[in-house]
Amino acid sequence: MATTIGHHVAVADTSRRALRLLSLLATRRRWSLPELADRLGVSERTARRDIETLRLLDYPIRTVHGPTGGYELGAGHTLPPLLFDDEQAIAVAVALQTAPSTVFGLGQDAARALDTLEQVMPARLRAAMESLRLTRLQNYWEFPGPPIAPDALKTVGRAVRHQHLLVIEALRADGTRPDPREADFIPPRRIEPHHLVVWAGRWYLVAYDLADSTWRVHRVDRLHLQTPTGTPFTPRDLPGGDVAHFVMTSHDRGDTPAEWQCVGTARLRLAAETVARWAPGGSVVEYLDPQHCRLTLGAWSWAGVAGILATFDAELTEVEPPELTMACHRLVRRWQAIGNS
């Protein structure tokens, strides 16, 4: 009896390892034998035996020889659906419950997706996912942009992936589309979409503008997309080569001030690209010259606005409105009092 139980335990352990191994190989990266053995917590001999077990089940696991060789899952094979290990199941549960609502209907869709996954999960994984029912609260300093229509996001994503030109029109901050007879109307522009980026709860498109040969960062929710052109373009090298740095240091991203009880502005003796990188979400940076910019931002109090301005450790002028100026003076007196105490 004991022998039979031991046999079943050994088979179960082997099956779990095989699923874990298949999950690792499904990442499409190449794994060395020592890496796989370490991830599985077994000897290299056992890892090699598990690889052979999967091959007997017709999984095309390729052996790649050479200094950078190892094992990888061959192309053209479809994995069984919902092949999750414990860590992946938990990651999916958390991700679906904490996904920001930057796309119309994403919250409801994420909840439905979680329910669907739980229904088809093995009992053990379903229990792990159900134990992680979360309540997501928004922080006061989160400033997500207005949700984007899924079709618009698909259009932009498809154009980036297939390297097809886009024709765009700029929308107002409230999402309305200017009439050609109105002063703020900007004619449609042809752009090369290169990167789709999410930062501070907003979707940005990094693109090359063909009209004036300039790289720009666009808020996707501020774009009216015309019918996809299907016209291919040859990718260009982004200046500096760092997408994250380019987006964070671009002062003109189409942002507008977030709604706060107190909103103020000041001229800073600091480069716009520096301020743009470190300013809180929901603020706007205006380029004035290479050494100066204007920052518009808000907070729950005037002292809060003044305190954020102080973090830039730069000379401030043209501080508005008067309530913000008064708050700055009050903070100065308080800070001076610290030295005298």
Side-chain angles (χ1 to χ4, degrees):
M1 180 68 175
T3 303
T4 302
I5 293 175
H7 171 73
H8 287 312
V9 170
V11 170
D13 288 343
T14 301
S15 299
R16 279 195 291 269
R17 280 202 318 273
L19 287 174
R20 173 65 172 157
L21 173 59
L22 192 55
S23 177
L24 293 172
L25 293 169
T27 62
R28 299 302 180 191
R29 60 164 287 187
R30 184 177 301 165
W31 297 85
S32 68
L33 185 61
E35 287 176 324
L36 289 174
D38 180 65
R39 285 298 193 96
L40 296 173
V42 297
S43 67
E44 292 184 16
R45 179 180 179 182
T46 299
R48 188 180 293 111
R49 187 165 57 242
D50 289 341
I51 290 172
E52 292 306 318
T53 297
L54 291 178
R55 283 173 170 165
L56 290 174
L57 295 173
D58 293 330
Y59 287 99
I61 300 174
R62 297 176 55 239
T63 301
V64 182
H65 300 285
T68 61
Y71 298 92
E72 62 184 21
L73 194 64
H77 185 78
T78 302
L79 290 177
L82 304 177
L83 182 65
F84 291 136
D85 56 32
D86 293 43
E87 291 78 12
Q88 289 174 318
I90 292 174
V92 169
V94 172
L96 287 174
Q97 293 180 79
T98 59
S101 297
T102 57
V103 181
F104 281 117
L106 182 61
Q108 295 86 346
D109 291 341
R112 290 193 303 109
L114 183 60
D115 289 339
T116 301
L117 284 173
E118 288 180 350
Q119 294 302 315
V120 295
M121 280 284 183
R124 179 175 54 82
L125 295 184
R126 182 166 61 251
M129 295 179 72
E130 290 176 345
S131 68
L132 281 170
R133 285 296 184 177
L134 310 176
T135 298
R136 182 177 183 270
L137 302 178
Q138 182 174 344
N139 185 277
Y140 285 113
W141 291 100
E142 291 181 31
F143 306 105
I148 301 173
D151 287 345
L153 204 57
K154 290 178 184 177
T155 297
V156 174
R158 193 177 298 116
V160 171
R161 179 181 178 184
H162 296 293
Q163 299 169 356
H164 287 171
L165 295 178
L166 279 176
V167 179
I168 62 171
E169 293 179 47
L171 299 177
R172 296 189 178 102
D174 61 4
T176 58
R177 184 181 177 189
D179 186 273
R181 295 166 294 183
E182 296 177 304
D184 58 348
F185 174 77
I186 300 176
R189 307 177 74 90
R190 297 170 71 247
I191 63 171
E192 298 175 352
H194 284 260
H195 302 278
L196 189 59
V197 178
V198 180
W199 184 47
R202 293 166 171 81
W203 292 87
Y204 293 100
L205 174 63
V206 179
Y208 184 81
D209 195 313
L210 295 174
D212 54 11
S213 303
T214 302
W215 285 92
R216 286 196 174 87
V217 179
H218 301 274
R219 280 270 296 271
V220 178
D221 60 301
R222 301 282 168 77
L223 298 179
H224 172 74
L225 305 170
Q226 296 193 2
T227 303
T229 65
T231 305
F233 65 86
T234 302
R236 303 172 189 267
D237 292 329
L238 180 71
D242 189 332
V243 177
H245 184 268
F246 184 78
V247 172
M248 290 189 292
T249 58
S250 295
H251 64 276
D252 185 12
R253 296 185 292 255
D255 292 329
T256 53
E259 294 185 6
W260 279 104
Q261 296 95 317
C262 304
V263 178
T265 181
R267 175 188 174 104
L268 281 70
R269 188 174 183 179
L270 204 59
E273 65 178 30
T274 301
V275 176
R277 180 170 186 177
W278 301 111
S283 58
V284 175
V285 180
E286 177 188 357
Y287 174 91
L288 298 176
D289 61 48
Q291 286 80 39
H292 297 84
C293 67
R294 189 181 310 281
L295 176 60
T296 301
L297 74 163
W300 65 277
S301 69
W302 291 114
V305 179
I308 297 173
L309 289 173
T311 64
F312 287 96
D313 194 22
E315 178 184 321
L316 303 176
T317 57
E318 302 176 18
V319 178
E320 295 289 345
E323 291 87 346
L324 177 56
T325 303
M326 294 171 60
C328 290
H329 290 313
R330 286 197 300 272
L331 287 183
V332 169
R333 290 195 296 270
R334 291 169 185 166
W335 291 330
Q336 288 175 336
I338 295 174
N340 298 328
S341 60

